[in-house]
Amino acid sequence: MDKTTEKPRLWTGSFLRICLVNFFIFVNFHALLPTFPFFVTYLGGDAVTIGLATALFSIASIVSRPFVGWLVDTRGRCTLLVLGLVGMGLIPMGYFVSAGIALAVVLRTAHGVFHAASSNAASTWVTDIIPHSRMGEGLGMYGLSMAISTAVAPAMGLAVMNAWGFRPLFAITALVAVAALLTGIGIRSRNYTMSTAPLRFSELFEPMSLPAAVTQFFFMMAYGVIEVYVAIYAVSCGLPGGGIYFIFIALATVATRILLGRAIDKYGEAQLVYSGNAAIAAGILLLVFAHNVPCYLLSAILLGYSFGAIQPSLQTMAMHAVAPERRGAASSTFFVAFDFGIALGGFLAGVLVKYLDYDAMFLWMIVPCALSLGYYYVFGRRHASSFNPQNRRRTHPAEGIADTGVGKLPLVVTISREYGSGGHRIGEMLARRLGVNFYDREIIALTARKSGLSEETVKESEQTVSNRLIYDDPTQTAVFRSQSQVIREIAAKEPCVIVGRLANFVLKDRKDCLHLFIYANETARIRRVVFEYGVERGQAEALLKRTDRERREHCLHYTGYKWGDRHQYHLMLDTSSLTDEEAVRIICTVLGK
């Protein structure tokens, strides 16, 4: 096979290690999830206390995750992973000395913070390791480590607790965290992009990830409650212990992800979200109304399918359209919803059990399943982050060229240009020739609306940095980040031509783009600046050099690349001796138009 068309490798050493780290993180998590209610009961707590401990664990994760996401983006994945795993190793040892419910609940709350740090760092790091074109498949396989932990850890935790008590259980979960730490520090892949953004509340969440996050939130309200309460419920109904239920959940989850892993990239997330929510509702009905072993195990299989289908597809939806330097924020946004669903569901379930009973509580959990499906249908399926087929342009299999009805052309053409080379006019003419929209100064108004800044502020702050030595202007950084988000949203919705704004870098992970660099010699550029732009000849040369310098420094600061470096573009065009019409014809020839 030609190496240029060969699919990028997924199963690398770094990918295997990060999957193993994730497995250990969730063994620590899942081993305590069904057993901690028994520990609370052992200390004298009731159902409300169990719900409170579950909720506080998740609330701690919810509150800390946005800040963890910023730290992951700005301080690095490895640093936060190590800090989180150290805490996850120390906290279980604290359970040894728990003399009462209050201390146990406090330690459980702190456990949530360290779990958030380690899981967020790992889930962000893996998106840097996975090839972008295999994101859905890769996250599905990465999620298998969580699924396998679901099979191993709850059953192991319950077995150790029943055989030897709580202290050996806590010792094992601490050792598992140490194993994750030793595995994680050996990952060699450190080629992720780090942000220099200051800590601001508006930057802690990623808007592009919200539709997937909200859909996941409602789903986890139901799924998390079943994970927490099914072991106690099974005992009250005379059914086999919760360990076997978790094993069947995990087997179904593993099978789902193996069979449907590539389907996420190919077919999108919609059918998996619909069928997954229907499956968990059916599993709840079986659990409540059919107290026999076959239906009990079938309920577990349905729940396993639901988690195996929904979680990786929504995580891919949340992550795939986000810039690399915003992946920590996107991951935290998604997992805040994940944790908040467990927290709210766990608290409400505790109250419902106290005042109603387990059967009624489980039936009420069908409501959030319906909300998950309904929210996705109304708001998620056509959002820019969705990768359903109807939201994509048809693509030429060999070249990443979209068929828009006007011939074959890249879904997005980006034009970087030297000042005075004619890039703006060439872009306008190219867009008219192709019958697509043109974006240059229009992006200023769109950025102003997204950032909340005035158009004048955006115009003054874009495509520049304040000083060669001091690159920390918060307004310029806010403009760049908002502008990049605008560019990604435009590119996700329509074929177009975009001039400037480092669009080639913002869209560098997309295959359906053609990145151009337009340049010319100084004489031709000065002539255009004088006769077309109306600049006085005495000022033209200085203006040309200053504008190019600003663009060069802006590019180096925000991308780390040299402006005009041929490796960052697909086509470089010298317009010194070309008319604009000739330049457009050359580009259209490249496009096959």
Side-chain angles (χ1 to χ4, degrees):
M1 180 182 291
D2 187 347
K3 289 186 178 180
T4 61
T5 60
E6 187 177 333
K7 292 180 71 174
R9 287 183 62 201
L10 173 62
W11 296 100
T12 61
S14 293
F15 180 69
L16 290 170
R17 281 180 174 271
I18 199 68
C19 287
L20 190 58
V21 167
N22 193 53
F23 169 74
F24 288 136
I25 289 172
F26 281 93
V27 166
N28 179 287
F29 174 77
H30 282 120
L32 294 174
L33 192 63
T35 55
F36 204 78
F38 289 100
F39 184 58
V40 172
T41 303
Y42 167 77
L43 294 175
D46 58 9
V48 172
T49 309
I50 295 172
L52 179 63
T54 301
L56 287 176
F57 177 93
S58 296
I59 289 171
S61 294
I62 292 164
V63 173
S64 61
R65 276 195 191 277
F67 301 97
V68 166
W70 175 77
L71 288 170
V72 167
D73 282 334
T74 58
R75 299 296 183 268
R77 287 45 160 161
C78 188
T79 301
L80 268 293
L81 181 65
V82 169
L83 289 175
L85 290 174
V86 168
M88 288 183 70
L90 294 176
I91 289 294
M93 304 307 293
Y95 295 140
F96 274 81
V97 297
S98 295
I101 295 174
L103 181 57
V105 171
V106 169
L107 289 171
R108 188 65 173 157
T109 303
H111 203 157
V113 175
F114 291 114
H115 174 76
S118 57
S119 61
N120 204 90
S123 63
T124 304
W125 205 349
V126 74
T127 61
D128 300 316
I129 295 171
I130 296 171
H132 191 267
S133 61
R134 303 182 72 175
M135 187 68 72
E137 179 188 359
L139 286 176
M141 296 299 102
Y142 173 76
L144 279 179
S145 56
M146 186 191 300
I148 294 171
S149 76
T150 304
V152 173
M156 178 203 73
L158 290 167
V160 171
M161 179 191 73
N162 290 327
W164 297 301
F166 293 109
R167 288 192 172 185
L169 170 65
F170 299 147
I172 289 172
T173 55
L175 290 174
V176 165
V178 173
L181 177 62
L182 295 176
T183 305
I185 60 177
I187 297 176
R188 295 182 179 179
S189 179
R190 308 290 171 93
N191 59 337
Y192 43 78
T193 302
M194 289 177 60
S195 171
T196 59
L199 178 60
R200 288 197 297 266
F201 184 79
S202 60
E203 299 290 333
L204 295 179
F205 297 94
E206 174 52 54
M208 185 67 78
S209 302
L210 283 176
V214 174
T215 305
Q216 180 78 4
F217 159 72
F218 287 122
F219 171 78
M220 289 308 301
M221 280 186 68
Y223 185 85
V225 164
I226 295 171
E227 276 205 318
V228 171
Y229 285 95
V230 71
I232 291 178
Y233 180 71
V235 171
S236 69
C237 296
L239 294 168
I244 189 66
Y245 193 87
F246 286 111
I247 290 174
F248 271 75
I249 284 180
L251 291 174
T253 302
V254 170
T256 299
R257 293 188 175 180
I258 290 175
L259 295 174
L260 300 181
R262 295 184 180 180
I264 297 173
D265 290 317
K266 187 174 182 180
Y267 300 111
E269 78 283 344
Q271 297 305 316
L272 297 175
V273 173
Y274 298 147
S275 61
N277 275 297
I280 191 172
I284 290 172
L285 292 173
L286 282 174
L287 187 65
V288 171
F289 291 113
H291 291 171
N292 58 71
V293 174
C295 289
Y296 176 67
L297 298 181
L298 179 58
S299 169
I301 291 171
L302 289 170
L303 261 71
Y305 169 78
S306 69
F307 189 74
I310 287 181
Q311 196 272 336
S313 58
L314 289 178
Q315 188 178 1
T316 305
M317 180 180 172
M319 300 294 291
H320 81 107
V322 176
E325 68 273 12
R326 290 287 293 165
R327 285 174 178 164
S331 182
S332 69
T333 300
F334 181 77
F335 282 102
V336 160
F338 189 102
D339 292 336
F340 191 31
I342 295 175
L344 185 59
F347 179 76
L348 292 177
V351 174
L352 289 170
V353 168
K354 185 175 181 68
Y355 292 102
L356 299 174
D357 56 28
Y358 281 105
D359 287 339
M361 179 272 290
F362 281 128
L363 290 175
W364 271 106
M365 289 303 109
I366 294 177
V367 174
C369 299
L371 292 174
S372 175
L373 192 152
Y375 175 87
Y376 174 79
Y377 183 82
V378 175
F379 298 105
R381 63 193 175 107
R382 292 180 180 172
H383 188 261
S385 61
S386 170
F387 51 103
N388 292 321
Q390 63 268 28
N391 299 333
R392 307 175 190 172
R393 302 287 173 176
R394 289 173 292 163
T395 302
H396 189 282
E399 302 175 72
I401 302 291
D403 182 1
T404 65
V406 295
K408 294 177 181 177
L409 71 157
L411 180 58
V412 177
V413 178
T414 72
I415 298 179
S416 304
R417 76 284 186 218
E418 289 184 336
Y419 183 65
S421 64
H424 176 88
R425 187 161 185 266
I426 290 169
E428 280 187 313
M429 295 171 64
L430 177 64
R432 285 198 299 269
R433 173 81 173 266
L434 300 176
V436 300
N437 285 329
F438 173 73
Y439 291 95
D440 186 355
R441 299 181 184 94
E442 297 81 358
I443 294 177
I444 294 174
L446 295 172
T447 302
R449 286 201 292 271
K450 176 168 285 291
S451 65
L453 300 170
S454 67
E455 291 189 25
E456 188 64 27
T457 299
V458 172
K459 185 177 180 181
E460 292 175 354
S461 301
E462 67 164 1
Q463 303 189 81
T464 186
V465 289
S466 57
N467 187 283
R468 287 191 178 194
L469 298 177
I470 304 174
Y471 290 149
D472 57 357
D473 188 301
T475 301
Q476 291 173 352
T477 300
V479 167
F480 173 72
R481 296 172 75 82
S482 297
Q483 205 165 68
S484 299
Q485 188 65 42
V486 165
I487 290 169
R488 284 190 289 271
E489 290 174 357
I490 291 171
K493 292 187 289 189
E494 59 175 317
C496 57
V497 176
I498 301 175
V499 171
R501 282 84 186 176
L502 300 179
N504 65 306
F505 172 76
V506 174
L507 303 175
K508 66 185 178 67
D509 289 328
R510 292 178 54 125
K511 291 186 176 180
D512 47 359
C513 293
L514 180 69
H515 302 308
L516 307 177
F517 187 83
I518 308 296
Y519 66 101
N521 61 39
E522 187 172 303
T523 301
R525 293 162 63 197
I526 290 177
R527 183 170 60 246
R528 187 187 293 267
V529 168
V530 171
F531 291 105
E532 290 188 19
Y533 301 174
V535 177
E536 293 183 10
R537 181 174 291 276
Q539 301 175 353
E541 183 177 354
L543 178 61
L544 183 150
K545 291 180 178 179
R546 184 178 74 248
T547 304
D548 282 354
R549 184 185 69 248
E550 290 175 347
R551 291 176 180 176
R552 182 166 53 251
E553 292 176 350
H554 180 256
C555 178
L556 182 63
H557 172 54
Y558 285 108
T559 73
Y561 299 145
K562 182 180 178 181
W563 183 61
D565 180 1
R566 68 183 186 277
H567 297 100
Q568 310 308 321
Y569 310 96
H570 299 124
L571 176 66
M572 303 186 75
L573 194 61
D574 184 352
T575 58
S576 302
S577 57
L578 294 175
T579 66
D580 295 340
E581 291 79 4
E582 289 171 337
V584 170
R585 279 202 300 272
I586 291 172
I587 297 169
C588 288
T589 300
V590 173
L591 299 175
K593 174 61 179 176

